[in-house]
Amino acid sequence: MKDWFKPSIDKRKVRKVARCSHQNLEEVEVFGYYGRKSELELVIYLLENAVALKKIIIDPHNPFLPDRPKKIGQIEKEKAARVRAKRQLKGRVTVGIELVIL
C-alpha cells in the first residue's frame, strides 16, 4: 500500500497549462501541503504567474480536521512536510514574495 503523504516520482506526461498572469492575486495559502509533485507544480505555477503575489503560506495541516487532537505520527508527517517544503521552495521564491511555512 502506498502512503499518500509520501512524495513519489511519477512517470506521467506533464501537460503544460496556458500561461495566465493573475493580476490581483496577492496572497495564497496552500493547506495540506506534503510536497507531492502536483502540489509543488501548483506552487511553482503560482510563483511564475501571479504577478502581484506578495505572500504564499504553506500549511501541511489538514483543514478538514481543525479541532481533532493530532496523533504522534501525524505530527511527524507534518514536520517532515515542513522540511520538504522549505527544501523544495528555497531559491524558487523571488525577492518581494514572503514565504511562510506553518
Side-chain angles (χ1 to χ4, degrees):
M1 177 189 242
K2 185 176 175 181
D3 291 326
W4 67 270
F5 57 85
K6 292 182 182 176
S8 63
I9 297 174
D10 194 356
K11 295 185 181 194
R12 65 187 166 92
K13 289 184 179 181
V14 177
R15 292 182 295 169
K16 295 290 181 185
V17 296
R19 295 212 174 260
C20 175
S21 63
H22 301 279
Q23 302 290 327
N24 300 309
L25 189 60
E26 293 184 2
E27 186 172 313
V28 174
E29 191 164 359
V30 181
F31 287 101
Y33 186 97
Y34 273 84
R36 294 178 209 84
K37 186 174 182 178
S38 58
E39 296 163 345
L40 179 59
E41 288 172 355
L42 173 63
V43 171
I44 290 170
Y45 172 82
L46 292 169
L47 290 171
E48 292 175 350
N49 293 286
V51 294
L53 191 64
K54 295 178 182 172
K55 184 176 189 177
I56 187 160
I57 303 166
I58 304 295
D59 186 354
H61 177 71
N62 185 339
F64 300 108
L65 306 173
D67 298 327
R68 279 176 70 179
K70 294 180 185 179
K71 297 178 183 177
I72 292 174
Q74 182 64 27
I75 293 168
E76 293 303 316
K77 291 174 191 175
E78 289 180 9
K79 186 177 181 180
R82 288 181 189 95
V83 171
R84 191 175 304 115
K86 187 174 183 179
R87 186 180 66 239
Q88 288 176 330
L89 299 172
K90 182 181 177 184
R92 294 182 189 250
V93 178
T94 59
V95 176
I97 299 175
E98 178 184 3
L99 173 64
V100 177
I101 301 174
L102 300 178

